[in-house]
């Protein structure tokens, strides 16, 4: 069958740059690659409780049947959204099928023509894709550079437009965090709407894994939070947190919510039960924090600190420039039994290729010490 030459050419460029993406099957290597930070995707208690909930509440429907505005809504959605809102100390929550759908739905519909969106230059592709679908003007500010942000805000100081300031509480490639307290003050000073994606903070930060915003007590000063469940919660879905008016607006105008089949009762029940387990999994969350501390101590002892981006999150990235170099290093670690992934350009800028270590509550300190010891041998 004929295939467009322009598409073939793009694939060939990826091959030449050693950057062609391919699917791989699960393996039995020691996990330093998944976003399952506190092991909820493999939690048997969550699995069993979800099934009990479905039986006890007569949720016999296992599949999805249509948009939630048509036939796809059911009572477990209401219970889950109320529970999420209460857990995150906000007025409302609206469940989307994924973090990508949530970000595209929000940014494509909320900022209006004439409004301005100012976003951190390293924001996730789903945020940038949503912004591109919006009628608002958008400008990026340098990563964590709030002086640069303020200069941009001052260019658009008028009561006739809304300004949305966008960042992430934990950045997925670097694992670093912005100064959210300072950012909140700047947003309030200029009456901007602050939007924070907490995909990689849920289950990691806060006494019960509530996220970084609540850990800092900023939940009443943020316009919107986007919580993604495919990381710390270990299941499908995401939620946009905010006022009831925002929820009503998204129900009416967010196309990635309106024109898609809703999650099945089983998926939503898994979200609900996952949140219930966050309430009782303090020891698991604390174990993850201990592993993060141990990882940072070990990389310092081994002289690896200069390679790594500064991070106190579950994501730790060692910069190894060059797609070929970083892939070779990842292959060496995988050959020793450790599933560590190479992040290649163009996913990250050329010259910023890295090994990305994802830490989990179920990793042992011995595993952490061994994988970093191997890295130091391969590097030095």
């Amino acid at each position: 069958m004929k295939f467009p030459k322009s598409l073939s050419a793009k694939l060939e460029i990826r091959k030449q740059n050693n950057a062609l993406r391919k699917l791989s099957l699960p393996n039995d290597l020691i996990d330093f690659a998944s976003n399952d930070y506190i092991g909820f995707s493999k939690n048997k208690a969550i699995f069993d409780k979800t099934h009990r909930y479905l039986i006890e509440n007569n949720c016999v429907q296992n599949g999805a049947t249509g948009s939630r505005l048509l036939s796809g809504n059911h009572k477990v959605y209401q219970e889950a959204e109320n529970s999420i809102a209460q857990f995150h100390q906000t007025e409302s929550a609206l469940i989307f099928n994924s973090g990508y759908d949530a970000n595209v739905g929000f940014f494509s519909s909320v900022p209006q023509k004439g409004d301005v969106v100012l976003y951190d230059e390293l924001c996730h592709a789903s945020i940038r894709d949503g912004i591109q679908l919006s009628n608002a003007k958008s400008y990026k500010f340098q990563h964590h550079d709030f002086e640069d942000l303020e200069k941009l805000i001052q260019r658009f100081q008028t009561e006739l437009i809304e300004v949305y300031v966008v960042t992430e509480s934990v950045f997925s490639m670097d694992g670093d965090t912005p100064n959210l307290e300072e950012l909140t003050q700047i947003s309030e000073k200029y009456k901007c709407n602050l939007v924070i994606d907490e995909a990689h903070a849920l289950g990691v930060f806060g006494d019960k894994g509530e996220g970084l915003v609540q850990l800092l007590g900023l939940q009443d000063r943020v316009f919107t939070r986007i919580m993604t469940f495919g990381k710390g919660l270990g299941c499908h879905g995401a939620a946009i947190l905010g006022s009831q008016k925002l929820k009503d607006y998204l129900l009416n105008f967010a196309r990635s919510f309106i024109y898609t089949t809703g999650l099945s009762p089983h998926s939503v029940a898994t979200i609900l039960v996952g949140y219930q387990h966050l309430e009782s999994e303090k020891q698991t969350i604390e174990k993850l924090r201990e592993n993060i501390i141990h990882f940072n101590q070990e990389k310092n002892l081994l002289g690896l600190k200069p390679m790594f981006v500064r991070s106190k999150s579950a994501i730790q990235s060692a910069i190894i420039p060059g797609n070929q170099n970083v892939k070779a290093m990842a292959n060496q670690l995988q050959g020793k039994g450790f599933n560590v992934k190479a992040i290649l350009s163009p996913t990250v800028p050329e010259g910023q290729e890295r090994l990305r270590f994802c830490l989990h509550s179920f990793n042992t300190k011995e595993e952490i010490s061994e994988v970093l010891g191997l890295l130091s041998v391969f590097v030095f």
Side-chain angles (χ1 to χ4, degrees), residues 21 99-105 107-108 119-133 166-168 170-173 197 199-200 231 346-348:
R21 295 186 179 103
Y100 189 94
D101 287 324
N103 275 327
V104 167
F107 289 104
S108 65
Y119 63 98
D120 189 294
E121 64 180 345
L122 296 187
C123 276
H124 192 266
S126 59
I127 293 174
R128 291 183 279 113
D129 286 355
I131 292 170
Q132 284 186 336
L133 292 171
V166 187
T167 193
E168 302 176 24
V170 177
F171 280 80
S172 60
M173 288 296 105
D197 186 315
H200 293 275
K231 281 73 176 172
T347 300
V348 293

Side-chain angles (χ1 to χ4, degrees), residues 101-358:
D101 287 324
N103 275 327
V104 167
F106 178 89
F107 289 104
S108 65
S109 67
V110 174
Q112 300 295 294
K113 186 175 182 180
D115 292 344
V116 173
V117 181
L118 307 177
Y119 63 98
D120 189 294
E121 64 180 345
L122 296 187
C123 276
H124 192 266
S126 59
I127 293 174
R128 291 183 279 113
D129 286 355
I131 292 170
Q132 284 186 336
L133 292 171
S134 168
N135 290 319
K137 294 181 179 179
S138 62
Y139 304 87
K140 60 187 176 184
F141 59 90
Q142 295 177 32
H143 188 47
H144 297 336
D145 188 337
F146 297 155
E147 287 186 14
D148 189 36
L149 171 62
E150 272 199 272
K151 290 176 184 176
L152 285 171
I153 293 174
Q154 289 165 0
R155 287 173 53 188
F156 303 105
Q157 275 299 283
T158 169
E159 295 182 0
L160 300 178
I161 64 172
E162 296 285 349
V163 176
Y164 294 86
V165 174
V166 187
T167 193
E168 302 176 24
S169 58
V170 177
F171 280 80
S172 60
M173 288 296 105
D174 290 342
D176 58 335
T177 60
N179 185 333
L180 292 182
E181 291 161 314
E182 183 182 353
L183 184 58
T184 301
Q185 292 170 0
I186 292 171
S187 298
E188 290 175 337
K189 176 182 176 181
Y190 294 102
K191 299 181 181 179
C192 299
N193 302 298
L194 181 57
V195 182
I196 301 177
D197 186 315
E198 290 236 77
H200 293 275
L202 180 63
V204 178
F205 290 96
D207 186 46
K208 297 180 290 186
E210 305 97 322
L212 193 57
V213 170
Q214 276 173 268
L215 175 63
L216 299 173
L218 302 174
Q219 59 270 19
D220 295 329
R221 300 164 65 186
V222 174
F223 178 70
T224 307
R225 283 173 281 166
I226 294 98
M227 313 300 299
T228 298
F229 307 143
K231 281 73 176 172
L233 217 60
C235 60
H236 293 284
I240 294 180
L241 313 180
S243 67
Q244 182 60 46
K245 279 190 175 181
L246 175 63
K247 182 174 182 177
D248 293 340
Y249 181 86
L250 292 168
L251 279 169
N252 282 275
F253 296 101
R255 296 170 73 86
S256 64
F257 177 88
I258 298 166
Y259 298 110
T260 193
T261 299
L263 291 172
S264 68
H266 185 278
S267 293
V268 183
T270 305
I271 296 167
L272 174 62
V273 172
Y275 267 99
Q276 292 171 351
H277 270 254
L278 282 179
E279 299 272 3
S280 60
E281 290 288 335
K282 292 183 179 180
Q283 287 184 330
T284 302
I285 296 168
E286 182 58 33
K287 179 65 166 58
L288 172 61
R289 294 196 188 112
E290 290 174 2
N291 282 346
I292 293 170
I293 292 170
H294 181 70
F295 189 98
N296 279 306
Q297 289 174 339
E298 284 292 290
K299 75 185 184 189
N300 293 347
L301 287 172
L302 292 167
L304 295 170
K305 183 178 179 179
M307 293 178 58
F308 278 85
V309 179
R310 187 177 184 275
S311 168
K312 294 184 179 180
S313 76
I315 299 168
Q316 304 282 332
S317 291
I319 305 300
I320 300 176
N323 283 347
Q324 186 171 347
N325 293 335
V326 73
K327 284 179 76 172
M329 188 70 70
N331 288 337
Q332 285 183 286
L333 291 173
Q334 290 164 16
K336 295 293 184 180
F338 293 94
N339 193 14
V340 180
K341 295 295 186 182
I343 307 298
L344 312 175
S345 59
T347 300
V348 293
E350 189 173 348
Q352 291 293 306
E353 296 83 4
R354 77 274 311 272
L355 289 175
R356 183 172 179 261
F357 295 81
C358 291

Side-chain angles (χ1 to χ4, degrees), residues 46 50 53-54 59 61-64 68 72-84 94-97 229 233 235-238 261-276:
I46 292 176
T50 297
Y53 174 92
L54 292 168
C59 296
Q61 172 195 338
N62 289 318
R68 283 183 66 188
N73 202 30
H74 33 79
K75 62 183 180 180
V76 65
Y77 265 112
Q78 182 176 2
E79 186 175 351
E81 287 174 343
N82 289 342
S83 179
I84 292 167
L94 183 64
I95 291 175
F96 283 71
N97 288 11
F229 307 143
L233 217 60
C235 60
H236 293 284
T261 299
L263 291 172
S264 68
H266 185 278
S267 293
V268 183
T270 305
I271 296 167
L272 174 62
V273 172
Y275 267 99
Q276 292 171 351

